[in-house]
Amino acid sequence: MKYLSLLILMLLIILLPPAIYGQVKTLNIIYTGSMNGELEPCGCSPKTDFGGVARISGYLAGHNNNELSPCILIDAGNFTDKDTPQGRLKAEAMLKSFGIIKYDAVAFLKKEKGLPEDFFSPILKEYKIPVVSGMPPYEQSVSVNRDTFKINVSVDPENYREGRLNILLTDVSVRESGLIKGWDVIIVSSGEILDEPLKANETIIVTGYPKGKKLGILTLQIGRGGEIKNYEHRWQLLGSDIEEDTRVRDVLNDYDSKVAGLLTASENPPAGTSYLGAAKCAECHQLFEESWKKTRHAGAFSSLKQAGKSADPECVVCHTVGFGEEGGFRSIETTPELANVQCEECHGLDREHIDDFSRPMRPVTKAVCLKCHTQDNSPDFDYPVYLEKIKH
Ligand code: HEC
Ligand code: HEC
Ligand code: HEC
Ligand code: HEC
């Protein structure tokens, strides 16, 4: 009997909700990393239609005041794409979006280091974005006070501070991160994916989801002495059901029109187009043209128009004929006859064919389709099934 009551007492002590001690508090770390310049998904397939900064912002606006508060919002770096004119426009739009969303810390790591400082400085000034970076003139760490928490966010493994919650942002591999000591949380933007957090020594390691398809939410239960008592992790999928933030959408629309400007600027006068276009083929293959017109290939350009992306080189490359090649599509103004996925994308370019019908055209194989029907853009692609739908 004595033992039983002792047992009950012990159980009570263990099981009493932490609230009674009044000492355990919750903090949400909401994070991205390794966004790679993906401002929004292309929308080629509902199966890959996830992510985008306008949705991140919309999601947070809808949840910030209740279930996510208090929270700290972090990007762990590598949010930019290549250093090309379009890549720079992406970096600019990405940073502006981070500014609107009010990120508490944004790391500049490998990819950002490829871009010059004077490119960033006007945007950083205007949007007041707290950058952490190993490259001057940026700070290596920022301090964030949220609720009663004092948080140190840094990119320097040596820079953890006693008496604070320490969060390290890095793009070394997950394996190497496991060797770094002294940090409470490490957010990795190496492009690797950990479905669940990894616990190494006393450190919780998570990874930013590549291209921002999902938002990471790490919930910490923190004791009075600052020790992490417990943690939970979940991925918030960013699908088309999430309402976009219109302020961020404005940034994306501005990006689209600047990208369209790039296309016009790079245009040479259309030198005698070497691709002929379907209308020419139809002079002799009318029935084939009619059957082609019934396929979605014939409407591929209007899909881009609807998405507001008909002048984005990264989209037209698969939605027109011969873009980027000599005599291929340049813009809808100069080469309207080469919009849409036409005959020559599959049958190849062969001008002589018109004079010499006996010349065999290149065989249409699965490899021809895979140029455009990639895993990301066409996850349902199945050659026999798709071939059946376009046969003519
Ligand atoms: C690598 C080639 C490729 C690129 C690049 C590409 N697309 Fe696509 N897109 C496709 C293919 C293939 C499909 C058809 C997918 C399917 O149904 O299996 C498609 C379909 C679409 C659709 C139709 C979706 C529907 O169900 O009605 C839209 C809209 C679209 N793409 C927009 C874009 C935009 C915007 C971009 C640029 C950001 C882009 N695409 C870039 C290959 C591409
Ligand atoms: C130049 C790029 C390109 C090539 C090459 C290409 N496609 Fe497509 N395909 C597209 C795009 C873009 C779409 C989406 C058009 C839209 O709806 O906007 C599409 C859509 C389709 C669809 C409609 C999907 C659906 O679910 O209804 C089928 C089927 C298809 N392609 C089959 C093929 C096959 C088979 C090949 C190879 C023989 C091929 N495609 C080659 C770009 C391409
Ligand atoms: C998405 C790829 C694709 C596009 C676009 C396409 N074709 Fe084809 N075409 C094929 C495939 C695959 C075959 C062979 C299979 C078949 O018999 O249907 C073929 C067959 C043909 C043939 C018959 C070849 C033979 O052996 O008799 C002709 C002619 C032809 N296409 C003309 C056209 C013309 C003209 C257009 C444009 C209006 C066009 N094709 C657009 C894929 C395509
Ligand atoms: C001046 C008429 C003419 C034009 C224009 C023309 N073709 Fe042909 N094409 C022919 C004839 C004739 C044949 C042979 C038909 C046969 O042997 O049954 C042929 C055969 C083909 C074949 C099947 C033969 C093979 O070797 O694969 C394909 C595919 C084809 N053409 C595609 C095209 C495409 C694509 C275009 C547009 C770029 C085009 N043709 C334009 C007349 C033409």
Side-chain angles (χ1 to χ4, degrees), residues 157-210:
E158 303 297 319
N159 219 339
Y160 63 89
R161 305 266 167 79
E162 292 300 333
R164 289 177 174 261
L165 181 77
N166 285 290
I167 305 176
L168 178 70
L169 314 179
T170 180
D171 55 5
V172 303
S173 69
V174 167
R175 208 183 58 81
E176 280 176 77
S177 305
L179 305 174
I180 302 174
K181 299 220 165 68
W183 295 81
D184 296 301
V185 175
I186 300 181
I187 309 177
V188 180
S189 63
S190 62
E192 294 161 277
I193 302 174
L194 285 172
D195 284 324
E196 291 293 327
L198 193 74
K199 193 85 192 269
N201 307 312
E202 289 305 303
T203 306
I204 303 165
I205 303 175
V206 293
T207 55
Y209 206 93

Side-chain angles (χ1 to χ4, degrees), residues 184-249:
D184 296 301
V185 175
I186 300 181
I187 309 177
V188 180
S189 63
S190 62
E192 294 161 277
I193 302 174
L194 285 172
D195 284 324
E196 291 293 327
L198 193 74
K199 193 85 192 269
N201 307 312
E202 289 305 303
T203 306
I204 303 165
I205 303 175
V206 293
T207 55
Y209 206 93
K211 297 189 174 182
K213 302 253 170 227
K214 302 175 185 176
L215 192 60
I217 304 179
L218 178 66
T219 305
L220 304 180
Q221 260 97 46
I222 300 174
R224 197 160 59 173
E227 72 286 4
I228 297 175
K229 298 254 190 204
N230 209 343
Y231 64 91
E232 276 167 43
H233 177 265
R234 70 182 178 92
W235 291 112
Q236 176 61 44
L237 203 56
L238 297 164
S240 56
D241 53 317
I242 290 171
E243 206 173 314
E244 293 190 337
D245 181 332
T246 52
R247 296 167 307 160
V248 178
R249 173 46 61 193

Side-chain angles (χ1 to χ4, degrees), residues 296-297 300 303 318-319 341 345 364 368-369 372-373 386 389:
R296 280 182 40 197
H297 287 141
S303 294
C318 294
H319 285 249
V341 180
E345 271 296 331
V364 184
V368 168
C369 322
C372 304
H373 288 268
Y386 270 51
K389 289 195 198 171

Side-chain angles (χ1 to χ4, degrees), residues 229-356:
K229 298 254 190 204
N230 209 343
Y231 64 91
E232 276 167 43
H233 177 265
R234 70 182 178 92
W235 291 112
Q236 176 61 44
L237 203 56
L238 297 164
S240 56
D241 53 317
I242 290 171
E243 206 173 314
E244 293 190 337
D245 181 332
T246 52
R247 296 167 307 160
V248 178
R249 173 46 61 193
D250 288 344
V251 171
L252 299 183
N253 290 345
D254 179 52
Y255 161 82
D256 284 341
S257 56
K258 284 181 175 156
V259 167
L262 276 184
L263 193 69
T264 324
S266 72
E267 243 174 57
N268 302 319
T273 18
S274 43
Y275 280 93
L276 296 168
K280 185 70 192 168
C281 316
E283 286 174 12
C284 306
H285 299 293
Q286 203 199 340
L287 288 177
F288 287 91
E289 194 213 23
E290 279 168 17
S291 68
W292 166 76
K293 275 194 171 150
K294 295 196 187 97
T295 68
R296 280 182 40 197
H297 287 141
F301 197 76
S302 67
S303 294
L304 291 188
K305 274 196 189 149
Q306 270 169 25
K309 297 274 192 183
S310 56
D312 186 334
E314 290 184 356
C315 308
V316 296
V317 62
C318 294
H319 285 249
T320 64
V321 180
F323 179 76
E325 295 167 43
E326 208 188 318
F329 179 87
R330 287 180 180 278
S331 75
I332 195 65
E333 290 78 25
T334 52
T335 52
E337 71 285 0
L338 297 180
N340 299 314
V341 180
Q342 304 186 17
C343 330
E344 288 159 298
E345 271 296 331
C346 288
H347 291 291
L349 169 64
D350 182 4
R351 302 205 76 189
E352 326 293 284
H353 168 74
I354 292 175
D355 301 320
D356 178 4

